[in-house]
């Protein structure tokens, strides 16, 4: 074109990076190489193209990444790295069947709100004062879904995200840039690949929730909870473990031009699996920090309601379907199915959300204790009765035999747990894209990585010549039981008649005894409820807890605490009597 010929006549120098002679103009009027995008200091006044027919200016959008000469990469900020990880995770959830609105509407708005509340963007006074602003939510590094800046949403379907902020829409759209101070410019170029890596790692501001890689999962879970999706927190963390959702080494999927080293290693490098309790606490922390409104109600038709989750877990651990009526009864008696109890409200006085999956399996454990006591005695006596009845009445609906169920489930549980432990032991923590402390260490880091890969190949050849299978397809169920399976008994259709008795029009448990998992709770409302010592409990109770804890990938003590809380609600009178007795004993002593 005429404009390009004019540029060639004016500026014919070779590019210092790739030696090409092909120049375009940025919005600021500076020349950039169209081959490698290297920006020069030489500037040229942009002509009015309306005067030149059939011409187009090869100009970059405002999301242009300036080349960093020392690293030959983009200048980027830590928040852009976390944004990239969030986009990877949102795309992964979309591939798992979650609707696109979770990424485009809910998570997008949560992230904008976080940037505003943490004073990184969308505010009058950002944390920095000079330099390039990050391309947050404008040019999402590689994802076009967040490339444009949508209007702020205030309808019911999405969180009224920025309306609670202290600034108006006009302030947001005319916000100041998000740069790095001159004092730390040289420091970051040596100590981190990101512009603000050093400062970010040292920043400690009271009242500000600092973004970390585990908190990306808290953002994802908050978004799933807002949408009331059919994924619990334990499902989310299991999908991370099975590599369906990016988390460990998520940084290796950053664009090649985003160089990570130095302080970036500590910010984005993760060398441990996400912990249920930790992500749960971070979810509440992030929700409270963002000042989010009350979440949509968890009603009886919602997947997270205990009645639905109890049915799901009863099917998974191969227990009779008839137990569902009993779990629903416990839910009703304890009030754990009430909307106000189940719905997350971050702006409440004591913001907390229910551990939906843990609560559901705790209810099942309580029902098993009501039916079989689980004292290493009664459950086996009832099993003997069920076995004799089934032998005499082979054509009738079989009674549930706890002993047979225990034998089949223990074998399946042991096999599944062994495979899980082997998979964890074989997991490659080191990424294909090595992290190094400084640019000088890069060749050494890549050499070490190459040696590790070679050694692993040699070791795999010696230990097992079979090719490792690829990752399995994601599923909400870890155990599958069908009537057609001749190798394993499916107990779903078995009857509880052997452990229940009729009294008028109602059914009562033959077992009239019950032992409380916790005799005494802490007086204050603290996180510590009770201590779980395995040796103090029956073997059958230990097995039940270990089985469900494995399913949810949680600590056994956490499930034991939840069982204790369900019992406290169910046997409120019994606990109040115990409390009165302890008070009277103390009074007598005095």
């Amino acid at each position: 074109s005429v404009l390009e010929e004019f540029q060639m006549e004016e500026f014919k120098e070779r590019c210092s990076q790739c030696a090409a002679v092909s120049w375009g103009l940025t919005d600021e009027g500076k020349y950039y190489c169209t081959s490698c995008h290297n920006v020069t200091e030489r500037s040229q006044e942009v002509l009015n193209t309306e005067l030149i027919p059939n011409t187009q200016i090869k100009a970059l959008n405002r999301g242009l990444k300036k080349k960093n000469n020392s690293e030959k990469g983009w200048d980027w900020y830590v928040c852009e790295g976390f944004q990239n990880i969030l986009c990877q995770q949102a795309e992964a959830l979309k591939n798992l069947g979650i609707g696109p609105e979770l990424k485009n509407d809910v998570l997008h708005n949560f992230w904008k709100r976080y940037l505003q509340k943490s004073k990184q963007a969308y505010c009058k006074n950002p944390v920095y004062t000079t330099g390039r602003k990050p391309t947050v939510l404008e040019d999402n590094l590689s994802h076009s879904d967040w490339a444009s800046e949508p209007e702020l949403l205030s309808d019911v379907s999405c969180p009224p995200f920025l309306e609670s902020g202290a600034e108006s829409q006009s302030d947001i759209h005319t916000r100041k840039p998000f740069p790095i101070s001159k004092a730390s410019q040289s420091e970051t170029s040596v100590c981190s690949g990101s512009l603000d890596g050093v400062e970010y790692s040292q920043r400690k501001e009271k009242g500000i929730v600092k973004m970390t890689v585990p908190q990306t999962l808290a953002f994802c879970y908050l978004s799933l909870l807002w949408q009331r999706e059919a994924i619990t927190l334990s499902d989310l963390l299991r999908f991370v473990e099975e590599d369906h959702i990016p988390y460990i080494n998520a940084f290796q999927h950053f664009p090649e031009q985003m160089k990570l080293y130095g302080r970036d290693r500590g910010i984005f490098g993760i060398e441990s699996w996400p912990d249920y309790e930790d992500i749960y606490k971070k979810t509440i922390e992030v929700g409270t920090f963002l000042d989010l409104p009350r979440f949509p109600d968890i009603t009886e038709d919602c997947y997270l309601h205990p009645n639905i989750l109890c049915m799901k877990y009863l099917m998974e651990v191969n227990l009779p379907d008839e137990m569902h009526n009993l779990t629903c009864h416990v839910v009703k008696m304890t009030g754990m199915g009430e909307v106000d109890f189940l719905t997350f409200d971050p702006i409440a006085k004591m913001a907390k959300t229910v551990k939906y999956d843990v609560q559901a399996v705790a209810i099942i454990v309580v029902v098993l204790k009501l039916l079989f006591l689980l004292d290493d005695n009664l459950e086996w006596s009832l099993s003997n009765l069920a076995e004799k009845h089934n032998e005499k009445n082979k054509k009738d609906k079989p009674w549930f035999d706890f002993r047979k169920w225990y034998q089949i489930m223990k074998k399946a549980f042991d096999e599944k747990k062994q495979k899980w432990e082997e998979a964890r032991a074989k997991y490659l923590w080191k990424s294909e894209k090595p992290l190094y402390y400084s640019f000088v260490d890069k060749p050494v880091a890549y050499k070490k990585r190459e040696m590790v890969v070679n050694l692993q190949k040699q070791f795999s050849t010696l230990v097992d010549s079979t090719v490792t299978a690829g990752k399995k397809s994601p599923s909400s169920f870890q155990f599958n039981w069908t009537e057609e399976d001749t190798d394993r008994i499916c107990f779903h259709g078995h009857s509880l008649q052997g452990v229940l008795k009729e009294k008028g029009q109602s059914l009562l448990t033959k077992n009239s005894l019950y032992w409380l998992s916790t005799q005494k709770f802490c007086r204050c409302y603290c996180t510590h409820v009770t201590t779980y010592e395995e040796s103090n409990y029956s073997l059958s109770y230990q097995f039940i807890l270990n089985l469900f804890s494995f399913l949810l990938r949680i600590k056994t003590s956490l499930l034991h605490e939840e069982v204790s809380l369900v019992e406290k609600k169910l046997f409120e009178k019994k606990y109040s009597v115990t409390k009165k007795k302890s008070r009277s004993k103390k009074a007598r002593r005095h």
Side-chain angles (χ1 to χ4, degrees), residues 109-127 161-167 205-210 219 285-292 347:
N109 277 344
F110 284 172
W111 181 239
K112 285 172 72 176
R113 177 64 171 166
Y114 173 78
L115 293 173
Q116 182 200 29
K117 293 285 288 183
S118 60
K119 301 176 184 177
Q120 297 184 64
Y122 304 96
C123 61
K124 293 180 180 179
N125 300 306
V127 288
F161 199 73
L162 296 165
E163 291 178 359
S164 61
E167 57 200 56
E205 190 173 348
K206 193 175 181 182
I208 299 294
V209 173
K210 197 172 178 180
F219 271 88
E285 184 184 32
V286 171
T288 306
F289 174 69
L290 298 182
D291 283 332
L292 296 177
I347 57 176

Short mmCIF file of all heavy atoms in Angstrom, two decimals, residues 109-127 161-167 205-210 219 285-292 347:
data_model
loop_
_atom_site.label_atom_id
_atom_site.label_comp_id
_atom_site.label_asym_id
_atom_site.label_seq_id
_atom_site.Cartn_x
_atom_site.Cartn_y
_atom_site.Cartn_z
N ASN A 109 -16.79 -11.87 36.42
CA ASN A 109 -17.15 -10.77 37.31
C ASN A 109 -16.50 -10.88 38.68
O ASN A 109 -16.13 -9.87 39.30
CB ASN A 109 -18.67 -10.70 37.45
CG ASN A 109 -19.30 -9.93 36.31
OD1 ASN A 109 -18.62 -9.22 35.58
ND2 ASN A 109 -20.60 -10.09 36.13
N PHE A 110 -16.38 -12.11 39.18
CA PHE A 110 -15.68 -12.30 40.47
C PHE A 110 -14.24 -11.78 40.36
O PHE A 110 -13.72 -11.15 41.28
CB PHE A 110 -15.67 -13.78 40.86
CG PHE A 110 -16.98 -14.29 41.40
CD1 PHE A 110 -17.16 -15.65 41.62
CD2 PHE A 110 -18.02 -13.43 41.67
CE1 PHE A 110 -18.36 -16.14 42.12
CE2 PHE A 110 -19.23 -13.90 42.16
CZ PHE A 110 -19.40 -15.27 42.38
N TRP A 111 -13.59 -12.10 39.24
CA TRP A 111 -12.20 -11.69 39.06
C TRP A 111 -12.08 -10.17 38.94
O TRP A 111 -11.17 -9.56 39.49
CB TRP A 111 -11.61 -12.38 37.85
CG TRP A 111 -10.17 -12.06 37.56
CD1 TRP A 111 -9.64 -11.52 36.43
CD2 TRP A 111 -9.05 -12.27 38.43
NE1 TRP A 111 -8.29 -11.39 36.53
CE2 TRP A 111 -7.89 -11.84 37.76
CE3 TRP A 111 -8.92 -12.77 39.73
CZ2 TRP A 111 -6.63 -11.89 38.33
CZ3 TRP A 111 -7.64 -12.82 40.30
CH2 TRP A 111 -6.52 -12.39 39.60
N LYS A 112 -12.98 -9.54 38.22
CA LYS A 112 -12.99 -8.08 38.10
C LYS A 112 -13.16 -7.44 39.48
O LYS A 112 -12.51 -6.45 39.82
CB LYS A 112 -14.12 -7.62 37.18
CG LYS A 112 -13.84 -7.86 35.70
CD LYS A 112 -15.04 -7.56 34.84
CE LYS A 112 -15.32 -6.07 34.76
NZ LYS A 112 -16.45 -5.80 33.82
N ARG A 113 -14.06 -8.05 40.26
CA ARG A 113 -14.31 -7.53 41.60
C ARG A 113 -13.06 -7.65 42.47
O ARG A 113 -12.74 -6.74 43.24
CB ARG A 113 -15.48 -8.31 42.23
CG ARG A 113 -15.81 -7.92 43.66
CD ARG A 113 -16.28 -6.50 43.76
NE ARG A 113 -16.80 -6.20 45.09
CZ ARG A 113 -17.03 -4.98 45.52
NH1 ARG A 113 -16.80 -3.94 44.73
NH2 ARG A 113 -17.49 -4.77 46.73
N TYR A 114 -12.37 -8.76 42.33
CA TYR A 114 -11.14 -8.95 43.11
C TYR A 114 -10.09 -7.90 42.73
O TYR A 114 -9.43 -7.33 43.60
CB TYR A 114 -10.58 -10.35 42.89
CG TYR A 114 -9.22 -10.53 43.54
CD1 TYR A 114 -9.11 -10.75 44.91
CD2 TYR A 114 -8.05 -10.43 42.80
CE1 TYR A 114 -7.87 -10.88 45.52
CE2 TYR A 114 -6.81 -10.56 43.40
CZ TYR A 114 -6.72 -10.78 44.77
OH TYR A 114 -5.50 -10.88 45.36
N LEU A 115 -9.90 -7.65 41.45
CA LEU A 115 -8.92 -6.66 41.00
C LEU A 115 -9.26 -5.28 41.53
O LEU A 115 -8.37 -4.50 41.87
CB LEU A 115 -8.87 -6.64 39.46
CG LEU A 115 -8.33 -7.90 38.78
CD1 LEU A 115 -8.48 -7.78 37.27
CD2 LEU A 115 -6.88 -8.14 39.15
N GLN A 116 -10.54 -4.99 41.63
CA GLN A 116 -10.95 -3.70 42.17
C GLN A 116 -10.71 -3.63 43.67
O GLN A 116 -10.13 -2.67 44.17
CB GLN A 116 -12.43 -3.45 41.88
CG GLN A 116 -12.92 -2.10 42.37
CD GLN A 116 -14.42 -2.04 42.53
OE1 GLN A 116 -15.05 -3.07 42.79
NE2 GLN A 116 -15.01 -0.88 42.36
N LYS A 117 -11.15 -4.68 44.40
CA LYS A 117 -11.02 -4.67 45.86
C LYS A 117 -9.56 -4.71 46.31
O LYS A 117 -9.22 -4.16 47.36
CB LYS A 117 -11.77 -5.87 46.45
CG LYS A 117 -13.28 -5.80 46.26
CD LYS A 117 -13.94 -4.82 47.19
CE LYS A 117 -13.94 -5.32 48.62
NZ LYS A 117 -14.65 -4.39 49.53
N SER A 118 -8.71 -5.36 45.52
CA SER A 118 -7.29 -5.44 45.87
C SER A 118 -6.50 -4.26 45.28
O SER A 118 -5.28 -4.22 45.37
CB SER A 118 -6.69 -6.75 45.37
OG SER A 118 -6.82 -6.86 43.96
N LYS A 119 -7.20 -3.32 44.67
CA LYS A 119 -6.62 -2.08 44.15
C LYS A 119 -5.58 -2.32 43.05
O LYS A 119 -4.59 -1.61 42.94
CB LYS A 119 -5.98 -1.27 45.29
CG LYS A 119 -6.94 -0.89 46.39
CD LYS A 119 -6.23 -0.19 47.53
CE LYS A 119 -7.19 0.09 48.69
NZ LYS A 119 -6.49 0.72 49.83
N GLN A 120 -5.81 -3.34 42.26
CA GLN A 120 -4.92 -3.62 41.14
C GLN A 120 -5.44 -3.06 39.83
O GLN A 120 -4.69 -2.84 38.89
CB GLN A 120 -4.70 -5.13 41.01
CG GLN A 120 -4.02 -5.74 42.22
CD GLN A 120 -3.72 -7.21 42.03
OE1 GLN A 120 -2.94 -7.59 41.17
NE2 GLN A 120 -4.34 -8.07 42.83
N ALA A 121 -6.76 -2.85 39.75
CA ALA A 121 -7.38 -2.29 38.55
C ALA A 121 -8.80 -1.88 38.90
O ALA A 121 -9.30 -2.20 39.99
CB ALA A 121 -7.38 -3.30 37.41
N TYR A 122 -9.46 -1.16 37.99
CA TYR A 122 -10.84 -0.70 38.18
C TYR A 122 -11.00 0.16 39.43
O TYR A 122 -11.98 0.05 40.13
CB TYR A 122 -11.80 -1.91 38.25
CG TYR A 122 -11.71 -2.81 37.05
CD1 TYR A 122 -10.92 -3.95 37.07
CD2 TYR A 122 -12.41 -2.52 35.89
CE1 TYR A 122 -10.83 -4.79 35.97
CE2 TYR A 122 -12.33 -3.35 34.78
CZ TYR A 122 -11.54 -4.48 34.83
OH TYR A 122 -11.45 -5.29 33.74
N CYS A 123 -10.00 0.97 39.73
CA CYS A 123 -10.08 1.84 40.89
C CYS A 123 -9.35 3.15 40.61
O CYS A 123 -8.58 3.26 39.66
CB CYS A 123 -9.49 1.16 42.13
SG CYS A 123 -7.75 0.71 41.97
N LYS A 124 -9.60 4.16 41.44
CA LYS A 124 -9.00 5.49 41.22
C LYS A 124 -7.51 5.50 41.53
O LYS A 124 -6.73 6.17 40.88
CB LYS A 124 -9.73 6.51 42.10
CG LYS A 124 -11.17 6.76 41.69
CD LYS A 124 -11.82 7.78 42.60
CE LYS A 124 -13.28 8.02 42.19
NZ LYS A 124 -13.94 8.99 43.10
N ASN A 125 -7.12 4.79 42.57
CA ASN A 125 -5.72 4.81 42.99
C ASN A 125 -5.15 3.40 43.01
O ASN A 125 -5.16 2.73 44.04
CB ASN A 125 -5.59 5.44 44.38
CG ASN A 125 -6.11 6.86 44.41
OD1 ASN A 125 -5.68 7.69 43.61
ND2 ASN A 125 -7.05 7.14 45.31
N PRO A 126 -4.66 2.90 41.87
CA PRO A 126 -4.06 1.56 41.85
C PRO A 126 -2.82 1.48 42.72
O PRO A 126 -2.27 2.50 43.12
CB PRO A 126 -3.71 1.35 40.37
CG PRO A 126 -4.31 2.48 39.62
CD PRO A 126 -4.59 3.56 40.59
N VAL A 127 -2.36 0.26 42.98
CA VAL A 127 -1.23 0.06 43.88
C VAL A 127 0.07 0.62 43.31
O VAL A 127 1.01 0.87 44.04
CB VAL A 127 -1.03 -1.43 44.21
CG1 VAL A 127 -2.12 -1.91 45.13
CG2 VAL A 127 -1.01 -2.26 42.94
N PHE A 161 -21.75 -7.00 40.69
CA PHE A 161 -20.36 -7.17 41.02
C PHE A 161 -19.65 -5.95 41.55
O PHE A 161 -19.05 -5.93 42.59
CB PHE A 161 -19.69 -7.65 39.74
CG PHE A 161 -18.40 -8.28 39.98
CD1 PHE A 161 -18.35 -9.52 40.54
CD2 PHE A 161 -17.25 -7.62 39.70
CE1 PHE A 161 -17.15 -10.12 40.77
CE2 PHE A 161 -16.07 -8.21 39.93
CZ PHE A 161 -16.01 -9.45 40.46
N LEU A 162 -19.70 -4.86 40.78
CA LEU A 162 -18.94 -3.68 41.15
C LEU A 162 -19.81 -2.60 41.78
O LEU A 162 -19.33 -1.52 42.09
CB LEU A 162 -18.23 -3.12 39.92
CG LEU A 162 -17.18 -4.05 39.32
CD1 LEU A 162 -16.79 -3.59 37.93
CD2 LEU A 162 -15.96 -4.12 40.18
N GLU A 163 -21.10 -2.86 41.92
CA GLU A 163 -21.99 -1.83 42.40
C GLU A 163 -21.73 -1.45 43.84
O GLU A 163 -22.03 -0.35 44.27
CB GLU A 163 -23.44 -2.29 42.25
CG GLU A 163 -23.85 -2.38 40.78
CD GLU A 163 -25.27 -2.88 40.62
OE1 GLU A 163 -25.90 -3.17 41.66
OE2 GLU A 163 -25.73 -3.00 39.48
N SER A 164 -21.16 -2.36 44.61
CA SER A 164 -20.88 -2.07 46.01
C SER A 164 -19.58 -1.30 46.19
O SER A 164 -19.23 -0.91 47.28
CB SER A 164 -20.81 -3.37 46.82
OG SER A 164 -19.78 -4.18 46.31
N GLY A 165 -18.84 -1.09 45.10
CA GLY A 165 -17.59 -0.36 45.17
C GLY A 165 -17.83 1.11 45.38
O GLY A 165 -18.93 1.63 45.25
N ALA A 166 -16.76 1.82 45.66
CA ALA A 166 -16.88 3.24 45.98
C ALA A 166 -16.78 4.12 44.74
O ALA A 166 -16.74 5.33 44.85
CB ALA A 166 -15.79 3.64 46.98
N GLU A 167 -16.75 3.52 43.57
CA GLU A 167 -16.57 4.31 42.38
C GLU A 167 -17.65 4.02 41.36
O GLU A 167 -18.28 2.99 41.38
CB GLU A 167 -15.21 4.03 41.75
CG GLU A 167 -15.01 2.57 41.42
CD GLU A 167 -13.58 2.21 41.27
OE1 GLU A 167 -12.82 2.44 42.22
OE2 GLU A 167 -13.23 1.70 40.21
N GLU A 205 -0.47 -6.35 52.93
CA GLU A 205 -1.38 -5.27 53.26
C GLU A 205 -2.56 -5.82 54.03
O GLU A 205 -3.21 -6.77 53.60
CB GLU A 205 -1.87 -4.58 51.97
CG GLU A 205 -2.63 -3.30 52.23
CD GLU A 205 -2.94 -2.55 50.95
OE1 GLU A 205 -2.38 -2.90 49.90
OE2 GLU A 205 -3.77 -1.63 51.00
N LYS A 206 -2.84 -5.22 55.19
CA LYS A 206 -3.90 -5.70 56.05
C LYS A 206 -5.26 -5.56 55.36
O LYS A 206 -5.56 -4.52 54.77
CB LYS A 206 -3.89 -4.91 57.36
CG LYS A 206 -4.76 -5.53 58.45
CD LYS A 206 -4.62 -4.78 59.75
CE LYS A 206 -5.47 -5.43 60.84
NZ LYS A 206 -5.39 -4.69 62.12
N GLY A 207 -6.05 -6.60 55.45
CA GLY A 207 -7.39 -6.56 54.87
C GLY A 207 -7.45 -6.94 53.41
O GLY A 207 -8.54 -7.03 52.83
N ILE A 208 -6.30 -7.18 52.78
CA ILE A 208 -6.25 -7.58 51.36
C ILE A 208 -5.96 -9.08 51.26
O ILE A 208 -4.98 -9.56 51.84
CB ILE A 208 -5.18 -6.79 50.58
CG1 ILE A 208 -5.48 -5.29 50.62
CG2 ILE A 208 -5.09 -7.28 49.14
CD1 ILE A 208 -6.73 -4.88 49.90
N VAL A 209 -6.80 -9.80 50.55
CA VAL A 209 -6.57 -11.23 50.32
C VAL A 209 -5.59 -11.36 49.16
O VAL A 209 -5.89 -10.95 48.04
CB VAL A 209 -7.88 -11.96 49.99
CG1 VAL A 209 -7.60 -13.40 49.57
CG2 VAL A 209 -8.82 -11.94 51.18
N LYS A 210 -4.42 -11.89 49.45
CA LYS A 210 -3.38 -12.03 48.43
C LYS A 210 -3.64 -13.25 47.57
O LYS A 210 -3.89 -14.34 48.08
CB LYS A 210 -2.02 -12.15 49.13
CG LYS A 210 -0.83 -11.90 48.22
CD LYS A 210 0.44 -11.86 49.06
CE LYS A 210 1.67 -11.64 48.22
NZ LYS A 210 2.89 -11.60 49.04
N PHE A 219 -11.92 -19.51 43.74
CA PHE A 219 -12.70 -18.73 42.78
C PHE A 219 -13.58 -19.66 41.94
O PHE A 219 -14.75 -19.35 41.68
CB PHE A 219 -11.77 -17.92 41.87
CG PHE A 219 -11.43 -16.56 42.40
CD1 PHE A 219 -10.34 -16.38 43.24
CD2 PHE A 219 -12.19 -15.46 42.06
CE1 PHE A 219 -10.03 -15.13 43.73
CE2 PHE A 219 -11.88 -14.20 42.55
CZ PHE A 219 -10.79 -14.02 43.40
N GLU A 285 -13.10 -17.04 52.75
CA GLU A 285 -12.26 -15.85 52.83
C GLU A 285 -12.43 -14.97 51.59
O GLU A 285 -12.61 -13.75 51.71
CB GLU A 285 -10.80 -16.28 52.97
CG GLU A 285 -9.81 -15.14 53.15
CD GLU A 285 -8.37 -15.61 53.19
OE1 GLU A 285 -8.04 -16.61 52.52
OE2 GLU A 285 -7.57 -14.98 53.90
N VAL A 286 -12.40 -15.57 50.40
CA VAL A 286 -12.54 -14.81 49.16
C VAL A 286 -13.94 -14.23 49.04
O VAL A 286 -14.12 -13.07 48.68
CB VAL A 286 -12.22 -15.70 47.94
CG1 VAL A 286 -12.57 -14.98 46.64
CG2 VAL A 286 -10.74 -16.07 47.93
N GLY A 287 -14.97 -15.05 49.35
CA GLY A 287 -16.35 -14.58 49.27
C GLY A 287 -16.60 -13.40 50.18
O GLY A 287 -17.30 -12.44 49.81
N THR A 288 -16.03 -13.44 51.39
CA THR A 288 -16.18 -12.34 52.35
C THR A 288 -15.43 -11.11 51.88
O THR A 288 -15.93 -9.98 51.97
CB THR A 288 -15.67 -12.77 53.74
OG1 THR A 288 -16.32 -13.99 54.13
CG2 THR A 288 -15.94 -11.71 54.78
N PHE A 289 -14.22 -11.30 51.37
CA PHE A 289 -13.40 -10.19 50.89
C PHE A 289 -14.07 -9.45 49.72
O PHE A 289 -14.00 -8.23 49.63
CB PHE A 289 -12.02 -10.70 50.46
CG PHE A 289 -11.14 -9.67 49.81
CD1 PHE A 289 -10.62 -8.62 50.55
CD2 PHE A 289 -10.84 -9.74 48.46
CE1 PHE A 289 -9.81 -7.65 49.97
CE2 PHE A 289 -10.05 -8.80 47.85
CZ PHE A 289 -9.53 -7.75 48.61
N LEU A 290 -14.73 -10.20 48.86
CA LEU A 290 -15.38 -9.60 47.70
C LEU A 290 -16.71 -8.95 48.04
O LEU A 290 -17.33 -8.31 47.18
CB LEU A 290 -15.61 -10.66 46.61
CG LEU A 290 -14.36 -11.32 46.02
CD1 LEU A 290 -14.76 -12.31 44.94
CD2 LEU A 290 -13.40 -10.28 45.45
N ASP A 291 -17.18 -9.12 49.29
CA ASP A 291 -18.48 -8.57 49.70
C ASP A 291 -19.60 -9.05 48.78
O ASP A 291 -20.46 -8.28 48.37
CB ASP A 291 -18.45 -7.03 49.70
CG ASP A 291 -17.72 -6.48 50.92
OD1 ASP A 291 -17.71 -7.16 51.95
OD2 ASP A 291 -17.16 -5.38 50.82
N LEU A 292 -19.57 -10.33 48.46
CA LEU A 292 -20.58 -10.87 47.56
C LEU A 292 -21.92 -10.97 48.28
O LEU A 292 -21.97 -11.20 49.48
CB LEU A 292 -20.16 -12.26 47.07
CG LEU A 292 -18.89 -12.32 46.21
CD1 LEU A 292 -18.56 -13.76 45.88
CD2 LEU A 292 -19.04 -11.50 44.95
N ILE A 347 -22.02 -12.04 53.39
CA ILE A 347 -22.11 -10.78 54.14
C ILE A 347 -22.82 -10.97 55.48
O ILE A 347 -23.09 -10.00 56.18
CB ILE A 347 -22.81 -9.68 53.31
CG1 ILE A 347 -24.21 -10.15 52.88
CG2 ILE A 347 -21.98 -9.31 52.10
CD1 ILE A 347 -24.99 -9.08 52.14
#
